[in-house]
């Protein structure tokens, strides 16, 4: 199981080697998540219209190793945009992937850009 988790590493904008075309903005629900596949990764993409921002994270919950984060509720905790795992309600920051309860479990985050009517996710591979 560990090796599944190891393929998910946060990517910053300046580490991006590939901008992967994930679809059009209308392909993604507002204020909710959807899952896309990139190579062997499942990526949760969130269109957070309340903040006017897009986020992408691993879809894998690091707690129980289930591909469920795209189904989680998004919201904010003290101004930090977050997703709650639908299984165990663990909250992760959509900005840096940190666990908002201060636990060790983190999730990988990826840059998102909207360009020419398409949604792109940034990857370093």
């Amino acid at each position: 199981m560990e090796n599944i988790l190891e393929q998910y590493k946060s990517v910053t904008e300046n580490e991006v080697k590939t901008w992967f075309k994930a679809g059009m903005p209308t392909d993604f629900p507002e204020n909710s998540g959807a899952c896309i596949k990139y190579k062997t990764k499942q990526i949760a993409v969130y269109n957070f219209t309340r903040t006017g921002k897009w986020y992408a994270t691993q879809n894998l919950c690091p707690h129980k190793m289930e591909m469920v984060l795209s189904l989680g509720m998004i919201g904010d905790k003290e101004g930090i945009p977050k997703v709650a795992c639908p299984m165990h309600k663990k909250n992760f920051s959509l900005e840096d992937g940190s666990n908002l309860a201060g636990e060790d479990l983190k999730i990988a985050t990826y840059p998102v850009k909207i360009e020419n009517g398409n949604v792109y996710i940034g990857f370093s591979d």
Side-chain angles (χ1 to χ4, degrees):
M1 274 305 203
E2 270 308 289
N3 58 356
I4 295 177
L5 202 52
E6 281 166 18
Q7 68 176 323
Y8 295 102
K9 298 270 184 274
S10 287
V11 176
T12 61
E13 198 132 346
N14 58 10
E15 293 171 322
V16 172
K17 292 191 177 74
T18 305
W19 284 102
F20 175 73
K21 186 166 138 184
M24 297 185 320
T26 50
D27 295 333
F28 297 91
E30 294 188 353
N31 296 310
S32 184
C35 182
I36 62 129
K37 202 157 160 62
Y38 174 74
K39 294 184 178 176
T40 58
K41 298 178 178 73
Q42 281 194 29
I43 304 296
V45 182
Y46 308 94
N47 176 6
F48 204 162
T49 57
R50 282 193 321 214
T51 61
K53 289 192 174 158
W54 287 74
Y55 300 97
T57 71
Q58 69 191 50
N59 194 31
L60 182 67
C61 172
H63 178 221
K64 290 288 186 198
M65 297 296 180
E66 301 274 355
M67 294 288 185
V68 294
L69 290 181
S70 63
L71 305 173
M73 293 276 297
I74 63 173
D76 75 78
K77 181 175 178 178
E78 290 147 27
I80 299 169
K82 56 120 179 152
V83 60
C85 174
M87 297 182 76
H88 311 95
K89 307 298 179 255
K90 290 189 184 296
N91 288 309
F92 299 97
S93 163
L94 290 173
E95 287 177 340
D96 66 7
S98 59
N99 182 311
L100 297 177
E103 297 169 48
D104 281 349
L105 298 172
K106 283 185 73 156
I107 59 171
T109 57
Y110 302 89
V112 183
K113 69 179 180 181
I114 309 298
E115 211 170 78
N116 304 322
N118 289 301
V119 179
Y120 292 91
I121 318 288
F123 295 98
S124 58
D125 59 342

